[in-house]
Amino acid sequence: MKYKIAVIRGDGIGPEIIDQALLILNKIGDLFGHSFNFTEVLAGGCAYDVKGTPLPQETIDICKNSDAVLLGAVGGPKWDELPGDLRPEKGLLQIRKELGLYANIRPAILYDPLKDACPLKSEIIDGGFDICVVRELTGGIYFGERGRKKSAMGEAAYDTELYSTGEIERIARKAFEIARQRNKLVTNIDKMNVLESSRLWREVVNRIALDYPDVTLNHLLVDNGAMQLIRDPKQFDVIVTTNMFGDILSDEASMLTGSIGMLPSASLGEGKFGLYEPIHGSAPDIAGQDKSNPLATILSTAMMLRFSFGLQEEGKAVESAVEKVLVKGYRTGDIYSKGMKLVGTREMGKLVLENL
Ligand code: NAD
């Protein structure tokens, strides 16, 4: 099969981690008989430098005309003084909106060879864990009405959490569909004891669950959910939640895995199209020094193979190659511990390639 992939290298370590991910995709193509056609486009600070905007129209058009988008990372101190609308991160928010990507999928997997990096006690995490957080990405309090007004106690400010049935339905369906490919358990996290928006959220999730009788659904209030992630992360399979709760809980879950350099993500809309990127930023402190961990980006290509192209075996091949390299003791600086073999970005990419 032939697939069109728009590639955004971005800023900082973006170009160097993308280089390694493209090598992996090419090798998967050779091994399994697929052809990946890459079109490089600009977004972020580098786009601002060349085109005067962090998201040129040409980038949007090419992304829309592709089967998937692979993104490194954007941003850095060079562009920190720019006004909000021209900042690299604005390009990122805008591209998700332009592409209608309403579901953010973040796996938090604790690989057994990296269990020393997890801050939890070994009896809690024995055997590792594999959680998938499905976060609503384009609604809720980050996009609701906001403002300031006068009050008896001085100036006041407000933000509004607003969710429509349609927005909840589509994210709930994504979560159930993903759970079907995994351990068939969805945990919905909301705050229905206090928030009206959460009461509608829970009603709709319960209704959508009826279409997925093979998937078990349970509910947690967000305060308890945050606690349960620490107390017993192994109880979770798929977590579905709102934009703000997902923002916070997915960072909490990623911390449990020990390294930001290991975690991939997918942002999905209708159909199979998706944007795939590591969860970390552009790490300007180590950019261009062959020190960055390319594994989160490489694992993002595995998510692309699975979600956008339906290539489960190929996705598994990438994930297994990464695991083999970790089992053999190779580590970039961010996941290094005593007794392991320290390698750079290029060497880590090469090792994954050899283990495919
Ligand atoms: P960051 O994730 O870039 O870095 C945090 C720390 O983690 C740094 O010490 C960095 O060296 C380290 N780190 C991150 N990724 C790593 C990797 N792959 N390998 C090894 N170490 C890694 O977060 P930050 O420093 O807060 O932000 C830097 C810039 O990135 C900012 O401009 C920020 O706005 C931007 N940012 C972009 C994205 C994105 O593109 N999706 C996400 C977050 C932050």
Side-chain angles (χ1 to χ4, degrees):
M1 284 285 288
K2 288 189 172 156
Y3 301 96
K4 286 190 282 186
I5 303 174
V7 178
I8 301 173
R9 289 176 184 271
D11 310 313
I13 60 170
E16 61 198 62
I17 52 180
I18 287 284
D19 275 346
Q20 303 310 314
L22 297 186
L23 292 174
I24 302 297
L25 277 173
N26 277 330
K27 173 105 185 248
I28 286 287
D30 292 346
L31 290 173
F32 291 85
H34 306 298
S35 131
F36 300 111
N37 191 331
F38 305 119
T39 308
E40 300 228 1
V41 286
L42 292 175
C46 56
Y48 172 78
D49 287 348
V50 178
K51 306 266 184 185
T53 162
L55 186 63
Q57 185 60 41
E58 185 196 28
T59 298
I60 300 171
D61 294 342
I62 290 175
C63 288
K64 281 186 176 166
N65 197 22
S66 302
D67 299 310
V69 181
L70 182 65
L71 171 83
V74 302
K78 182 177 173 194
W79 303 281
D80 273 352
E81 303 307 318
L82 288 172
D85 262 14
L86 294 176
R87 286 180 62 106
E89 296 80 2
K90 177 73 182 181
L92 204 57
L93 290 178
Q94 215 181 327
I95 199 167
R96 289 177 183 147
K97 208 170 174 65
E98 287 281 348
L99 300 175
L101 305 172
Y102 61 82
N104 186 235
I105 320 292
R106 270 201 195 186
I109 301 172
L110 182 66
Y111 292 93
D112 207 49
L114 290 184
K115 60 179 190 292
D116 287 347
C118 175
L120 300 183
K121 286 187 193 144
S122 61
E123 60 261 36
I124 297 177
I125 50 152
D126 208 21
F129 55 77
D130 180 352
I131 304 170
C132 180
V133 181
V134 178
R135 165 190 171 194
E136 201 290 325
L137 200 58
T138 53
I141 198 163
Y142 294 174
F143 292 88
E145 192 192 323
R146 71 197 57 198
R148 295 198 178 201
K149 59 183 184 182
K150 291 197 167 45
S151 84
M153 305 277 285
E155 188 183 18
Y158 62 95
D159 301 274
T160 317
E161 172 90 338
L162 181 79
Y163 270 115
S164 65
T165 304
E167 285 174 307
I168 305 165
E169 275 175 6
R170 64 186 188 180
I171 191 77
R173 283 197 190 283
K174 276 274 187 259
F176 284 106
E177 295 290 342
I178 289 170
R180 270 194 169 157
Q181 314 289 326
R182 298 170 44 102
N183 292 326
K184 299 189 170 57
L185 170 65
V186 170
T187 303
N188 167 54
I189 297 190
D190 60 34
K191 188 69 182 166
M192 64 81 75
N193 56 340
V194 179
L195 301 176
E196 193 55 35
S197 54
S198 275
R199 283 191 274 274
L200 177 67
W201 179 279
R202 193 175 285 206
E203 264 169 52
V204 175
V205 172
N206 277 329
R207 180 159 51 72
I208 297 301
L210 300 176
D211 293 342
Y212 299 86
D214 51 324
V215 178
T216 304
L217 169 68
N218 56 32
H219 301 281
L220 287 177
L221 296 173
V222 64
D223 36 354
N224 188 19
M227 192 174 79
Q228 293 298 331
L229 267 173
I230 305 288
R231 199 186 68 82
D232 179 18
K234 283 192 283 186
Q235 72 181 283
F236 295 104
D237 177 24
V238 173
I239 291 175
V240 63
T241 191
T242 61
N243 200 344
M244 182 166 66
F245 294 159
D247 190 3
I248 298 163
L249 293 175
S250 60
D251 266 23
E252 184 187 353
S254 67
M255 183 60 214
L256 298 182
T257 70
S259 170
I260 196 169
M262 289 296 303
L263 295 181
S265 78
S267 300
L268 307 175
E270 294 305 341
K272 290 191 170 300
F273 180 83
L275 180 147
Y276 300 84
E277 57 180 319
I279 71 157
H280 58 73
S282 59
D285 51 333
I286 54 168
Q289 300 170 37
D290 195 39
K291 284 184 178 165
S292 60
N293 185 347
L295 295 180
T297 316
I298 289 173
L299 290 167
S300 299
T301 69
M303 290 188 86
M304 177 189 288
L305 292 165
R306 285 177 185 281
F307 287 113
S308 282
F309 308 155
L311 302 175
Q312 304 299 336
E313 202 189 329
E314 289 81 343
K316 180 83 205 142
V318 175
E319 290 157 0
S320 304
V322 168
E323 198 154 6
K324 275 187 216 158
V325 172
L326 295 174
V327 169
K328 288 177 185 169
Y330 294 102
R331 303 283 189 272
T332 43
D334 58 315
I335 50 174
Y336 179 78
S337 57
K338 211 166 154 242
M340 297 293 123
K341 295 168 232 177
L342 184 64
V343 295
T345 313
R346 286 192 291 270
E347 181 66 16
M348 185 55 108
K350 191 166 152 245
L351 285 160
V352 177
L353 212 58
E354 286 167 6
N355 281 276
L356 260 176

